């Protein structure tokens, strides 16, 4: 962190606080001129939109993914942490490359890919709800291909 006073490159952290769960405040001192200042770190909420098959665009909503995964898993609140972890993985994969717009198809594919590894029955349930039979053959080919290449990816 550069000193705002003399632009020296090296500042020392004197104190770190977390004013709330989402932010970190640091009190810093410049190693060259002694100037003291604070920095605040908090996650930037990127706006990501989703294009539905109908062409309609809406804001990305984690809750919708969680709901569809939960529905496919047919599991109670006891496995909430597991579902959350799975949704975290799905979202992390979707957000690679920081897209501004995702299609509902991309999201569906990612959910299926994770469910396939996680719970075979849930995978079939999700597939039956979110896919038409025309897409089924194509997707099964895709999964079969991925199963083959899985060994190569470390
Ligand atoms: Zn300075």
């Amino acid at each position: 962190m550069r000193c705002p006073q003399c632009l020296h490159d090296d500042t020392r952290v004197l104190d770190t606080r977390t004013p709330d769960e989402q932010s970190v405040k640091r009190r810093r001192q410049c190693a060259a001129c002694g100037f003291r200042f604070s920095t605040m770190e908090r996650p930037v909420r990127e706006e990501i939109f989703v294009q539905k098959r109908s062409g309609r665009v809406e804001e990305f909503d984690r809750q919708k993914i969680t709901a569809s995964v939960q529905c496919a898993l047919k599991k109670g609140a006891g496995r909430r942490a597991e579902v959350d972890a799975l949704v975290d993985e799905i979202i992390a994969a979707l957000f690679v490359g920081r897209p501004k717009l995702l299609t509902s198809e991309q999201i569906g594919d990612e959910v299926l890919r994770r469910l396939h590894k996680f719970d075979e029955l849930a995978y079939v349930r999700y597939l039956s709800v979110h896919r038409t039979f025309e897409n089924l053959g194509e997707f099964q080919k895709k999964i079969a291909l991925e199963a083959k290449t899985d060994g190569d990816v470390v």
Side-chain angles (χ1 to χ4, degrees):
M1 179 62 62
R2 248 163 201 263
C3 168
Q5 183 85 355
C6 73
L7 303 180
H8 182 70
D9 261 338
D10 188 25
T11 53
R12 203 158 61 88
V13 175
L14 301 174
D15 180 40
T16 303
R17 278 163 207 254
T18 45
D20 57 72
E21 270 181 18
Q22 294 254 292
S23 29
V24 179
K25 190 179 179 180
R26 293 196 169 89
R27 188 95 188 113
R28 294 170 184 270
Q29 182 169 31
C30 173
C33 74
F35 183 71
R36 289 184 180 205
F37 62 102
S38 298
T39 53
M40 187 76 126
E41 213 177 284
R42 59 163 63 110
V44 178
R45 246 197 86 206
E46 306 271 358
E47 296 278 297
I48 296 179
F49 293 92
V50 178
Q51 183 154 33
K52 315 291 275 182
R53 225 163 294 180
S54 64
R56 216 160 60 87
V57 173
E58 56 184 49
E59 240 177 281
F60 181 84
D61 185 354
R62 181 195 167 103
Q63 200 45 52
K64 282 189 183 162
I65 296 182
T66 306
S68 68
V69 167
Q70 248 166 349
C71 176
L73 287 170
K74 286 192 173 169
K75 295 284 155 57
R79 289 177 71 181
R80 185 57 209 244
E82 226 173 352
V83 171
D84 274 342
L86 191 65
V87 173
D88 279 345
E89 272 181 38
I90 291 164
I91 290 179
L94 286 171
F95 285 7
V96 167
R98 297 165 164 270
K100 292 272 175 241
L101 184 75
L102 292 165
T103 62
S104 55
E105 200 136 43
Q106 282 177 295
I107 295 175
D109 278 359
E110 199 52 52
V111 171
L112 280 170
R113 194 170 294 139
R114 303 284 152 173
L115 277 181
H116 187 67
K117 289 178 190 163
F118 188 75
D119 186 321
E120 191 79 23
L121 261 176
Y123 163 79
V124 173
R125 262 185 231 117
Y126 187 92
L127 200 59
S128 68
V129 173
H130 295 270
R131 295 269 159 182
T132 58
F133 276 103
E134 297 96 87
N135 295 329
L136 198 62
E138 198 186 311
F139 193 80
Q140 279 176 333
K141 263 183 255 160
K142 233 198 246 179
I143 283 288
L145 203 74
E146 263 166 39
K148 260 186 241 159
T149 54
D150 253 7
D152 302 324
V153 185
V154 179

